[in-house]
Amino acid sequence: MEERTVHRHLAGAELWARSAGEPGRGDEPVFVAGWEDGEAFCATVCSTDKGLRFCRRCPTETARRALATGRAARGRCGAGGRLLGFPAPRGSRTTVAVL
């Protein structure tokens, strides 16, 4: 992958964090910041309110695995897009970035 493509993806990474203070949701990842529209499907669907709700749930399982292990995790969005979640900063168990 070309270096500038990698930088574009990293700049568009979503940041997820382990939820805190909510009973029964201590391991549920919650969206914190960012935007990823590398997939044509996401660029189109995430521009609607309903689509955005779908897209914000899409990386949840990948983010949960990366948070639980402190290591990179791969997954697929329900629309078929490839996902990569990794601790940010390295080894973190509280925040992950998802591409």
Side-chain angles (χ1 to χ4, degrees), residues 67-97:
L67 284 168
T69 64
R71 301 173 82 175
R74 289 186 291 179
R76 283 215 178 254
C77 160
R82 292 179 296 172
L83 301 170
L84 172 65
F86 54 93
R90 188 179 195 182
S92 175
R93 295 245 178 149
T94 57
T95 55
V96 297

Side-chain angles (χ1 to χ4, degrees), residues 45-63:
V45 172
C46 291
S47 63
T48 67
D49 289 342
K50 192 175 215 175
L52 188 58
R53 283 192 299 277
F54 169 79
C55 289
R56 288 293 174 252
R57 295 301 303 161
C58 205
T60 302
E61 186 55 37
T62 302

